[in-house]
Amino acid sequence: MTPHTRACILSTGDELITGQLQDTNMRWLASELTIMGISVVQCATVPDDLETLTATMLRLTTCAPLLIVSGGLGPTEGDLTRHALAEAMSDQLVTDDAAQRWLDEFLRSRGRNWNALQARQTLRPSRARMLPNAVGTAPGLHGVVGEGVLGCDVFCLPGPPNELSAMWRASVLPALRPPADQTVRTRLLHVIGIGEADLASKLGPMMARTRLPLIGVTASQGVLTLRLRYAGPGSRLDADAAIDADVAALSAQLGDNILGDGSLSTSELMIAALGRAGKTLAVAESCTGGLLGAMLTQVPGSSTSFSGGLIVYSNGLKTALAGVPSELIAEHGAVSSQVAAALASGARERTAASYALAITGIAGPDGGSVAKPVGTVYIGLAGGATEPEVRHFRFSGTREDVRARAAGSALGMLHFELRQTNPRPKLLWQQGDAQTAAC
Ligand code: AMP
Ligand code: MG
């Protein structure tokens, strides 16, 4: 039988194609397949339309020996995956007696009545088999489209993510034939304080597309993530050794710009780094309104390193809670390097934490001026060897982006402080150099 070296993914749903719902199943399936060494060669999303669904299904079965379909297995008129599979297999739908009995029993045990529409969920192409659903009412399907070496295994899974993943584990994984002569290992590394283009030119031939391990980069909210992927011959140990050698080479090249393990979030990395240093952190947040504190407290066990913080949205609370002199606010404005420094110092003094990060800025969409446009944010860090360090940023994007980027950049500042990196590398969106400000 042909090994499943390559795969396609097909998602169906009007809610996906209209942008109402994010296709998280595709992302999850792609990552599961990739981890197993099965290359995903095409992903498609189609509406609940029989003609489009069937045509796309047929096309994808010619691209790879494995196709995973998500959605369209419910009881309504809009659930057309089983009909499309029957057409793609040039087959007819028949009632599956076992599925009928199972569904009867399932509904009875939950005190629910049989609905005529549910009969749809007991149908399968005559040459396909049903995959039991341990979590919901829609059975999955497995059929083969095409013959011999051209045959493609099609697995149709229900749309609800919990049902899809349970069926994947119970019925699809055991039936897969991943390539036997290939080992696939992936490692991720977060990098900050360097732009994507600068990173690519610094790494030069290490980023060649023909290289093994293959190194790719993605950028999100000011953090670059390097993906080192070994997909080739040899054992798992060989693959890990090749990736280890690359990580060592990258560390030598990028030094403190490496934030850490890319499978962890920036907050997880910073909580761990604070723990290793035996230090604690507090925050004073104006325009982020507690976002930074929320990101940090999402990390289990963060209480050992995160002391807490102040949400000081109004000028009055900046003075009352963080001790920022009202004259300082009157003179420089609440969004200023002086106030960011005073907020950081005040929060550190009042919480007795080793470090305090303070954020003050204009998240928008209103409130900007020529001198301080929307996206202007000052971030202060107190607790270092010198006076508070302050950086001035001009973030782009929506209110949500500005707030997320501000919170992420604050953690980036903490990273370079904990590493004692000098001179401090500039972060993305930063204006000018880091300043130290007496307050
Ligand atoms: P279906 O199996 O098409 O009836 O889908 C049932 C429900 O699963 C939908 O209403 C969505 O809430 C969810 N769903 C379907 N497809 C996806 C997908 N690709 N990603 C995430 N959720 C989905
Ligand atoms: Mg649907």
Side-chain angles (χ1 to χ4, degrees):
M1 279 188 286
T2 327
H4 295 135
T5 46
R6 304 176 325 138
C8 294
I9 303 173
L10 171 58
S11 302
T12 175
D14 287 349
E15 70 277 31
L16 304 171
I17 207 89
T18 54
Q20 185 192 337
L21 187 86
Q22 199 172 3
D23 188 346
T24 55
N25 288 345
M26 182 180 289
R27 181 175 157 184
W28 188 83
L29 289 167
S31 133
E32 286 284 302
L33 288 160
T34 303
I35 288 166
M36 294 181 69
I38 300 175
S39 303
V40 177
V41 291
Q42 278 198 48
C43 296
T45 309
V46 295
D48 294 317
D49 168 71
L50 185 58
E51 207 175 310
T52 316
L53 182 56
T54 309
T56 312
M57 194 183 276
L58 268 172
R59 182 176 67 73
L60 294 179
T61 60
T62 63
C63 298
L66 176 65
L67 169 63
I68 312 293
V69 183
S70 147
L73 290 174
T76 70
E77 290 278 314
D79 290 300
L80 296 159
T81 297
R82 53 182 75 80
H83 295 73
L85 182 63
E87 289 208 16
M89 293 173 72
S90 306
D91 199 357
Q92 288 178 3
L93 288 173
V94 295
T95 298
D96 185 283
D97 294 335
Q100 171 90 56
R101 282 194 300 278
W102 176 84
L103 191 56
D104 271 347
E105 181 50 37
F106 181 94
L107 294 172
R108 198 178 13 251
S109 69
R110 281 161 179 75
R112 281 161 59 183
N113 290 328
W114 173 262
N115 179 321
L117 284 177
Q118 243 128 12
R120 209 176 167 91
Q121 289 182 297
T122 64
L123 296 175
R124 63 167 166 81
S126 72
R127 285 181 276 109
R129 67 187 172 101
M130 283 196 148
L131 310 174
N133 188 335
V135 194
T137 58
L141 293 168
H142 170 223
V144 179
V145 174
E147 282 175 20
V149 286
L150 295 179
C152 174
D153 281 297
V154 182
F155 289 90
C156 304
L157 308 178
N162 63 327
E163 296 183 32
L164 176 124
S165 57
M167 197 177 288
W168 169 265
R169 291 194 184 94
S171 301
V172 185
L173 276 186
L176 292 186
R177 301 184 295 276
D181 54 348
Q182 269 233 120
T183 297
V184 179
R185 300 285 285 167
T186 303
R187 208 171 306 164
L188 303 172
L189 275 185
H190 287 320
V191 174
I192 55 166
I194 182 167
E196 212 171 336
D198 288 342
L199 179 79
S201 51
K202 201 162 184 178
L203 299 187
M206 276 194 93
M207 292 195 74
R209 300 296 298 161
T210 47
R211 197 174 171 278
L212 189 68
L214 178 65
I215 302 183
V217 61
T218 48
S220 173
Q221 305 292 42
V223 178
L224 299 179
T225 305
L226 287 172
R227 189 181 53 258
L228 292 84
R229 183 165 189 264
Y230 182 101
S235 67
R236 202 170 149 148
L237 280 177
D238 298 329
D240 284 346
I243 292 179
D244 286 344
D246 272 5
V247 170
L250 288 169
S251 300
Q253 287 252 36
L254 299 171
D256 288 346
N257 287 107
I258 295 186
L259 190 63
D261 180 348
S263 65
L264 301 175
S265 67
T266 308
S267 339
E268 284 173 310
L269 290 169
M270 285 306 101
I271 290 291
L274 284 164
R276 280 195 302 275
K279 304 278 190 188
T280 55
L281 172 70
V283 297
E285 301 188 57
S286 184
C287 66
T288 46
L291 181 64
L292 180 56
M295 282 163 59
L296 289 162
T297 51
Q298 240 171 19
V299 182
S302 52
S303 61
T304 48
S305 307
F306 180 62
S307 308
L310 318 168
I311 300 178
V312 283
Y313 214 49
S314 70
N315 290 349
L317 278 195
K318 286 180 180 68
T319 302
L321 294 186
V324 180
S326 49
E327 308 79 55
L328 197 73
I329 300 176
E331 190 180 343
H332 302 284
V335 178
S336 60
S337 64
Q338 292 82 354
V339 168
L343 267 179
S345 298
R348 190 170 102 81
E349 274 162 29
R350 289 171 187 221
T351 58
S354 326
Y355 293 108
L357 281 166
I359 304 176
T360 177
I362 304 157
D366 305 317
S369 65
V370 176
K372 292 176 186 173
V374 166
T376 299
V377 177
Y378 291 88
I379 305 180
L381 169 61
T386 57
E387 299 294 338
E389 171 192 333
V390 179
R391 300 197 195 203
H392 171 201
F393 294 87
R394 181 85 55 83
F395 297 110
S396 54
T398 60
R399 179 177 176 85
E400 204 183 351
D401 288 330
V402 170
R403 284 156 46 90
R405 288 168 182 182
S409 302
L411 292 176
M413 287 174 60
L414 180 66
H415 165 76
F416 288 121
E417 165 60 31
L418 286 169
R419 293 279 178 96
Q420 289 294 298
T421 315
N422 280 308
R424 296 283 202 252
K426 235 170 146 166
L427 291 163
L428 195 59
W429 300 293
Q430 186 181 326
Q431 312 290 299
D433 292 326
Q435 316 263 312
T436 49
C439 50

